[in-house]
């Protein structure tokens, strides 16, 4: 059976978000973690274009996302910067956070794109929760 472009792009986004989450973990390759922290600091300070970030932090972009879906990738990165932390780690993104993001930045997402962001968030949270649970053992 043939896969559609949307399905292939979705799979690329999901693979990318899992890689992105693994780069957020405190263990493993410490240089990757430091680069992830620098990436977030540079993004928060502003002034860096998406292309500059891609060139400066290639490990966070190891999985290629089709150009038509990169706005979702960038939205997820920015939403992740404002993610709330709970007792056991990061909290999932809420619909109200997505609404605030869209309102403040005048971003327009289709219902399907919102669902992609929510699925990406579930996958991100699964990587983080698996790591947290493995540390308790």
């Amino acid at each position: 059976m043939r896969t559609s472009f949307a399905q292939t792009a979705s799979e690329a986004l999901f693979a990318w978000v899992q890689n992105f989450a693994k780069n957020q973990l405190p263990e493993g390759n410490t240089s990757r973690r430091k680069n992830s922290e620098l990436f977030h600091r540079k993004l928060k300070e502003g002034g860096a274009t998406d292309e500059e970030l891609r060139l400066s932090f290639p490990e966070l972009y190891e999985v290629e996302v089709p150009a038509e879906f990169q706005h979702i990738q960038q939205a997820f990165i920015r939403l992740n910067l404002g993610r709330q932390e709970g007792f056991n780690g990061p909290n999932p993104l809420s619909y109200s956070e997505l609404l605030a993001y869209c309102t403040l930045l005048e971003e327009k997402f289709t219902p399907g794109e919102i669902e992609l962001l929510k699925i990406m968030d579930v996958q991100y949270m699964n990587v983080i929760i698996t790591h947290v649970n493995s540390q308790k053992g």
Side-chain angles (χ1 to χ4, degrees):
M1 185 161 105
R2 262 173 130 185
T3 58
S4 69
F5 172 74
Q7 181 180 358
T8 302
S10 298
E11 290 168 1
L13 277 171
F14 302 153
W16 172 83
V17 80
Q18 290 175 357
N19 180 64
F20 181 76
K22 289 174 186 169
N23 277 289
Q24 310 302 304
L25 299 176
E27 292 186 352
N29 186 331
T30 55
S31 65
R32 290 173 76 97
R33 174 67 179 165
K34 285 179 184 171
N35 266 356
S36 176
E37 291 168 359
L38 288 171
F39 171 83
H40 281 87
R41 191 173 324 124
K42 190 167 188 173
L43 190 58
K44 282 182 183 179
E45 291 169 357
T49 66
D50 292 338
E51 189 59 32
E52 289 171 331
L53 292 171
R54 286 177 180 280
L55 293 172
S56 298
F57 306 99
E59 68 278 1
L60 297 177
Y61 294 94
E62 287 174 347
V63 177
E64 188 62 33
V65 174
E68 295 87 350
F69 286 80
Q70 288 177 0
H71 67 288
I72 297 170
Q73 176 189 38
Q74 295 307 311
F76 185 85
I77 291 169
R78 288 179 169 82
L79 284 160
N80 195 55
L81 287 173
R83 186 184 292 276
Q84 301 295 311
E85 291 282 330
F87 180 70
N88 290 320
N91 292 331
L93 297 172
S94 68
Y95 284 107
S96 59
E97 289 170 312
L98 291 170
L99 176 62
Y101 176 86
C102 290
T103 302
L104 291 170
L105 298 177
E106 298 180 354
E107 185 75 57
K108 305 249 187 288
F109 289 116
T110 66
E113 290 171 332
I114 294 289
E115 283 308 306
L116 276 176
L117 283 164
K118 291 295 285 182
I119 293 168
M120 290 169 67
D121 189 49
V122 167
Q123 293 190 340
Y124 177 89
M125 293 299 297
N126 284 341
V127 171
I128 302 301
I129 289 167
T130 299
H131 174 74
V132 167
N133 289 340
S134 72
Q135 299 303 301
K136 290 179 182 177

